[in-house]
Amino acid sequence: MVSKILVRASESDRLQELATQSRVTGRISRRFIAGEALEEATEVARELIATGRTVSLDLVGEKVRDAADADAAAADYLAVIQAMSTGQLTSGISIKPSQLGASDDVDAAHHRLTLLAARAGEAGLHLTLDMEDATTVDHTIELVEALHGDGHTHVGCAVQTALFRTADDIDRLNELGASLRLCKGAYAEAADISHQRREDIDEAYHRCARRLLEAGTYPRFATHDHRLIGAIRRDARELGRATDSYEFQMLYGIRPDVQDRLIEIGEHLCVYVPYGVAWYPYFVRRLAERPANLVFFARALLP
Ligand SMILES: Cc1cc2nc3c(=O)[nH]c(=O)nc-3n(C[C@H](O)[C@H](O)[C@H](O)COP(=O)(O)OP(=O)(O)OC[C@H]3O[C@@H](n4cnc5c(N)ncnc54)[C@H](O)[C@@H]3O)c2cc1C
């Protein structure tokens, strides 16, 4: 219940304005956000890479107001690609389609993504389209298909095991050869299209992960759930998948202990590193995922 309220709060413009103007929330958000400037994010990326991780940089932001904002986001992403290329920061970038205007004009978003995919490809970077709420799944998958059709095979997307449709989407995208990020899903979705119980979402995760290990191109398992990580590692061994044919992904600031352990045992780990001024929705979704974060948040607000 609390989680659903928080996920809805992440969509409130008024709360966003209040939170981003507050120095206290700005400071607290640093637990999950690498900073507001690109230089801060690349510095964090360098530190993570020095510990054996790779990174996927995400310029936080979603649902732009108009084409000019979408163009500005695309230009910012070109700067990210340039900075990663110059700093030899592996291995990719993550983009929300709505940030490039896909919710209003998919063709224009495709056009912006084509340029970004070309530059990312030249820099040797993988490009993942984040998956947003369920209304965006069709056009996100179509964008991946269109970009593959144009030869940008280093483009993939996230898929969410909370949604009933995801097993079919995985089969469709496996056929294309797209490298997919498997996650549980961070949005509050309706009961007629999605699992509501955590156990069901976790079971679906395990089934989808197995499918990706059987037939997927370089699957990216985005989870901090140690039971699922154990199950995936066992399945990978059983199916004869080498550790360099898939990776785990985790969010910046979350379960660094599990991250260290994965590195120690020789698994590949990519850390999703968000940065930028529009951090509010991302931050609130992280609070929603774990009630203990609310206690941490409340404590930090006390004088
Ligand atoms: C790299 C990456 C990319 C993602 N991309 C997307 C995307 O494109 N679209 C999308 O909808 N969702 C995305 N997510 C979010 C994802 O859907 C989940 O909401 C989130 O990862 C929590 O699920 P979990 O698998 O870690 O499992 P959970 O069962 O939620 O958590 C397992 C354990 O991880 C730790 N943990 C998890 N979340 C937190 C947190 N916020 N704070 C502190 N500890 C935590 C806790 O110890 C918890 O017990 C992404 C997640 C990752 C790791």
Side-chain angles (χ1 to χ4, degrees):
M1 182 53 134
V2 176
S3 299
K4 286 209 167 172
I5 293 170
L6 276 174
V7 171
R8 296 262 143 74
S10 74
E11 292 155 10
S12 159
D13 291 342
R14 179 74 191 121
L15 287 177
Q16 166 151 357
E17 205 182 305
L18 285 174
T20 44
Q21 279 167 3
S22 151
R23 242 190 280 155
V24 180
T25 34
R27 187 164 42 78
I28 299 167
S29 71
R30 289 303 175 97
R31 180 177 163 189
F32 302 119
I33 310 285
E36 294 199 345
L38 175 56
E39 296 69 37
E40 292 172 279
T42 52
E43 187 48 39
V44 165
R46 241 186 297 282
E47 285 165 13
L48 290 167
I49 288 168
T51 65
R53 293 150 167 87
T54 58
V55 294
S56 188
L57 283 200
D58 166 56
L59 170 59
V60 284
E62 36 211 84
K63 287 187 195 138
V64 286
R65 276 168 311 186
D66 52 31
D69 282 355
D71 286 338
D76 287 344
Y77 262 108
L78 285 177
V80 175
I81 293 167
Q82 180 62 48
M84 290 188 80
S85 171
T86 308
Q88 296 180 321
L89 304 174
T90 47
S91 65
I93 54 174
S94 296
I95 303 182
K96 291 201 168 31
S98 70
Q99 204 174 353
L100 298 181
S103 305
D104 297 321
D105 184 345
V106 182
D107 290 340
H110 178 204
H111 183 70
R112 294 180 186 104
L113 271 168
T114 300
L115 176 62
L116 294 178
R119 291 285 172 81
E122 285 158 20
L125 297 169
H126 181 74
L127 193 163
T128 302
L129 295 181
D130 288 341
M131 193 57 83
E132 302 173 83
D133 68 67
T135 62
T136 69
V137 178
D138 281 330
H139 68 239
T140 301
I141 290 177
E142 282 157 21
L143 281 167
V144 173
E145 289 173 336
L147 289 159
H148 273 244
D150 299 338
H152 299 302
T153 53
H154 56 293
V155 175
C157 66
V159 287
Q160 302 154 325
T161 65
L163 298 182
F164 297 150
R165 60 176 288 171
T166 292
D168 292 338
D169 290 339
I170 287 176
D171 286 344
R172 172 173 166 186
L173 288 159
N174 274 351
E175 248 174 63
L176 191 67
S179 172
L180 301 181
R181 173 198 298 155
L182 188 66
C183 64
K184 291 186 184 177
Y187 297 83
E189 304 291 1
D192 59 333
I193 57 165
S194 69
H195 300 292
Q196 303 294 308
R197 296 175 351 131
R198 295 185 79 86
E199 306 86 288
D200 295 337
I201 296 172
D202 293 356
E203 258 178 46
Y205 196 108
H206 190 197
R207 277 196 307 277
C208 292
R210 176 113 194 158
R211 192 83 196 100
L212 283 169
L213 285 170
E214 283 164 353
T217 302
Y218 197 79
R220 297 160 195 263
F221 300 111
T223 182
H224 315 87
D225 187 329
H226 64 90
R227 280 162 313 175
L228 281 172
I229 292 169
I232 291 165
R233 294 187 67 233
R234 280 192 295 279
D235 286 353
R237 278 197 298 271
E238 186 191 314
L239 294 164
R241 293 272 317 217
T243 51
D244 61 0
S245 70
Y246 65 91
E247 71 181 25
F248 290 101
Q249 297 196 334
M250 295 196 190
L251 301 175
Y252 173 68
I254 296 185
R255 297 306 304 254
D257 54 333
V258 182
Q259 296 189 14
D260 287 341
R261 181 76 191 123
L262 279 178
I263 299 285
E264 270 167 33
I265 59 180
E267 294 288 352
H268 288 252
L269 175 67
C270 176
V271 179
Y272 184 100
V273 179
Y275 84 94
V277 289
W279 46 261
Y280 171 80
Y282 177 90
F283 172 65
V284 177
R285 283 199 294 274
R286 300 295 78 82
L287 292 182
E289 277 157 3
R290 193 151 162 76
N293 288 342
L294 286 175
V295 177
F296 153 81
F297 185 52
R299 275 211 199 106
L301 287 175
L302 292 174

